[in-house]
Amino acid sequence: MADPEHDNQRTRRGRRLGIDVGSVRIGVAVCDPDGILATPVETVRRDTSGGSDVRRIAELAAEYEVVGIVIGLPKTLRNSEGVAAAAARTFGDDLTTAIHPVCVEYVDERLTTVTAAQALRASGRSAKASRSVIDQAAAVAILQGWLDARR
C-alpha cells in the first residue's frame, strides 16, 4: 500500500543526502534544494558498535535541513540482497529512528563504488589516495541517479 507521507517527501522541494554505506566508511553527498546536482560532503568512519556514524549522519541531515535521505542498496548482479544490503538496511533503520520524520529510502546502487573508483583512476588519482573520496563519489552517483530518475 502506498504511503502518502513518503510520496509527499519524495516529491517535495529540498535538499537530500545520498549515502553509500560501506563496511569501513560511509560516503555522504548532498543535492541542492531544487534537486538538480549532487555534490560530495564527507566520508564518515563506520561505527557498528557505538553509533557515532548514525549520529554524524543525523547531524549532517540537520545541518543541511534535508527533506529526505537516499541510501544505496548494494544488490548482487542477480538482483538479490546479500550481507552488504542487510548492513545498509540495518544502518538505514538506525538512521530512520535518529532523524524521524525525515524519510529514508533505498535505491539500487550496483557497481557505483566500482564506477567511482574507475573514474578517479582515470583522472590520475591513486587508489590509496582516493579511498575516502571514492566513498563520497559513490554517494554522489547514488544520489544523482535518484535525482535523474525523478525527473
Side-chain angles (χ1 to χ4, degrees):
M1 180 154 194
D3 179 359
E5 180 63 27
H6 177 77
D7 291 341
N8 179 40
Q9 287 190 25
R10 189 167 206 270
T11 58
R12 83 187 246 212
R13 184 179 184 275
R15 292 179 180 268
R16 286 165 177 80
L17 288 182
I19 308 290
D20 177 51
V21 180
S23 59
V24 177
R25 291 172 303 277
I26 299 168
V28 183
V30 68
C31 70
D32 60 283
D34 293 319
I36 296 170
L37 185 64
T39 56
V41 173
E42 74 178 65
T43 300
V44 175
R45 171 85 33 210
R46 191 80 163 93
D47 179 13
T48 56
S49 60
S52 65
D53 52 357
V54 171
R55 286 190 299 277
R56 179 61 187 144
I57 304 298
E59 288 169 1
L60 290 169
E63 177 183 334
Y64 285 99
E65 298 176 341
V66 301
V67 298
I69 293 184
V70 179
I71 296 177
L73 194 60
K75 292 185 174 184
T76 67
L77 294 177
R78 289 185 169 182
N79 199 31
S80 62
E81 294 186 18
V83 175
R89 285 195 185 276
T90 298
F91 179 84
D93 291 346
D94 294 344
L95 187 59
T96 298
T97 301
I99 62 167
H100 183 77
V102 176
C103 180
V104 171
E105 102 177 63
Y106 301 91
V107 295
D108 186 351
E109 64 119 324
R110 275 178 274 196
L111 305 178
T112 54
T113 301
V114 172
T115 303
Q118 289 172 338
L120 288 168
R121 240 187 338 273
S123 72
R125 294 185 70 135
S126 73
K128 187 174 185 178
S130 300
R131 282 189 185 130
S132 67
V133 180
I134 288 170
D135 298 307
Q136 291 176 38
V140 167
I142 290 164
L143 183 54
Q144 192 65 55
W146 184 88
L147 294 169
D148 292 347
R150 272 181 59 226
R151 277 184 238 155

